[in-house]
């Protein structure tokens, strides 16, 4: 684990961040367990769902597939991997030692988490290519889909920082990340297929629900039509995707620990 310390010793601040991030990518790919859980499994599930929902020219049906793909890439490809990486570096003492390397705390966190984000984005690109290849309909309004990706990434990155606070070891990350992963997958799918009446719109306040709503709006349109309380339909899920990272980021900022938990 001396490679990150050595790599970050020289060069500009941006160069040290990139060098450390590149080292983190290699460490992630060398760990077979992490590579399978963060790359192989999400990719396999996302492609399976693409074919399962393919062949039908129904935008609402494909919104469910897109929601599942977003949720699995964000939850497993980014959130789980980022939490495991952060906790592993802290547990081994590398994270604390790196604070003396000349990197700022912010730069160190960015370098540690950026590889997980890049791997997640790569998965989303693969899913998009597969969806186009099987003839899935194009989004009626791409803006909600872009916002779902950006808001989802902010959500899972801040969630990884917050979850690391209560995760004593890399092995325990498999457990502490389960609640949010289940919420993003389960609630996201329900929100993507739920009617817009009754209490169903309340699912928008949940992380996965907001992603499902935005995916549905992207595929079927109606983002600016009147929704809950007369607001444009895009406002509640977008507000939820802004609020959750702010809350989780505030928790992480106040309670994040650099020292290993015993």
């Amino acid at each position: 684990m001396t490679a990150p310390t050595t790599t970050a010793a020289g060069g500009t601040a941006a160069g040290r961040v990139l060098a450390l991030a590149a080292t983190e990518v290699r460490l992630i790919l060398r760990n077979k367990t992490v590579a399978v859980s963060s790359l192989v499994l999400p990719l396999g599930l996302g492609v399976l769902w693409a074919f399962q929902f393919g062949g039908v020219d129904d935008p609402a049906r494909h919104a469910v597939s897109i929601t599942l793909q977003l949720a699995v890439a964000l939850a497993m490809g980014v959130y789980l991997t980022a939490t495991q990486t952060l906790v592993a570096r802290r547990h081994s003492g590398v994270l604390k030692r790196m604070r003396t390397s000349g990197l700022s705390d912010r730069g160190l966190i960015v370098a540690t988490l950026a590889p997980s984000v890049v791997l997640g984005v790569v998965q989303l690109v693969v899913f998009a290519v597969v969806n186009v290849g099987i003839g899935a309909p194009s989004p009626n309004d791409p803006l909600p889909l872009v916002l779902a990706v950006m808001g989802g990434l902010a959500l899972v990155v801040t969630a990884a920082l917050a979850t690391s606070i209560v995760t004593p070891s890399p092995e325990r990350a498999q457990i502490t990340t389960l609640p949010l992963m289940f919420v993003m997958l389960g609630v996201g799918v329900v929100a993507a297929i739920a009617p817009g009446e009754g209490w169903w719109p309340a699912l928008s306040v949940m992380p996965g629900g907001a992603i499902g709503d935005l995916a549905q709006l992207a595929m079927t349109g109606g983002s600016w039509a009147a929704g809950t309380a007369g607001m444009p339909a895009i406002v509640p899920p977008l507000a939820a995707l802004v609020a959750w990272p702010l809350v989780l980021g505030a928790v992480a900022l106040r309670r994040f620990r650099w020292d290993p938990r015993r």
Side-chain angles (χ1 to χ4, degrees):
M1 301 295 282
T2 59
T5 304
T6 302
T7 304
T12 64
R16 291 196 297 269
V17 169
L18 290 175
L20 179 57
T23 302
E24 289 293 348
V25 171
R26 290 194 293 270
L27 292 174
I28 289 173
L29 295 178
R30 287 176 186 171
N31 188 319
K32 294 181 180 179
T33 301
V34 175
V36 169
S37 62
S38 64
L39 283 174
V40 179
L41 187 57
L43 280 173
L45 288 172
V47 172
L48 173 65
W49 289 326
F51 282 97
Q52 182 178 359
F53 290 89
V56 179
D57 190 18
D58 182 0
R61 180 179 172 88
H62 282 282
V64 179
S65 174
I66 291 173
T67 300
L68 285 167
Q69 291 172 336
L70 282 170
V72 77
L74 293 171
M76 298 185 69
V78 181
Y79 174 51
L80 175 59
T81 308
T83 304
Q84 287 180 319
T85 301
L86 200 58
V87 174
R89 304 298 173 262
R90 183 186 67 196
H91 191 67
S92 62
V94 169
L95 202 60
K96 186 175 182 180
R97 291 199 303 272
M98 286 298 298
R99 299 184 78 190
T100 65
S101 67
L103 277 174
S104 66
D105 288 351
R106 181 177 299 179
L108 179 53
I109 292 297
V110 169
T112 304
L113 299 182
S116 303
V117 174
V118 172
L119 292 175
V121 171
V122 169
Q123 291 176 39
L124 292 177
V125 171
V126 171
F127 295 153
V129 171
V130 172
N131 290 342
V132 171
I134 64 173
S138 300
N140 187 286
D141 181 3
L143 178 61
L145 195 56
V146 173
L147 295 175
V149 173
M150 295 176 61
L153 287 172
L155 166 68
V156 292
V157 167
T158 53
L161 288 166
T163 305
S164 71
I165 298 169
V166 296
T167 308
S169 67
E171 295 76 19
R172 291 293 295 275
Q174 299 279 352
I175 299 174
T176 56
T177 56
L178 282 177
L180 181 58
M181 286 198 293
F182 282 145
V183 167
M184 290 186 68
L185 285 165
V187 177
V189 174
V190 174
I193 62 177
E197 303 83 23
W199 62 271
W200 294 103
L203 291 175
S204 293
V205 304
M206 304 297 288
I211 292 172
D213 279 349
L214 289 173
Q216 189 66 242
L217 290 173
M219 297 305 297
T220 61
S223 300
W224 307 105
T228 305
M231 295 184 294
I234 196 174
V235 171
L238 183 58
L241 273 187
V242 171
W244 278 107
L246 290 176
V247 172
L248 293 168
V251 171
L253 190 63
R254 290 173 60 94
R255 301 190 59 189
F256 183 77
R257 295 179 58 173
W258 296 91
D259 296 307
R261 290 177 57 93
R262 303 298 181 187

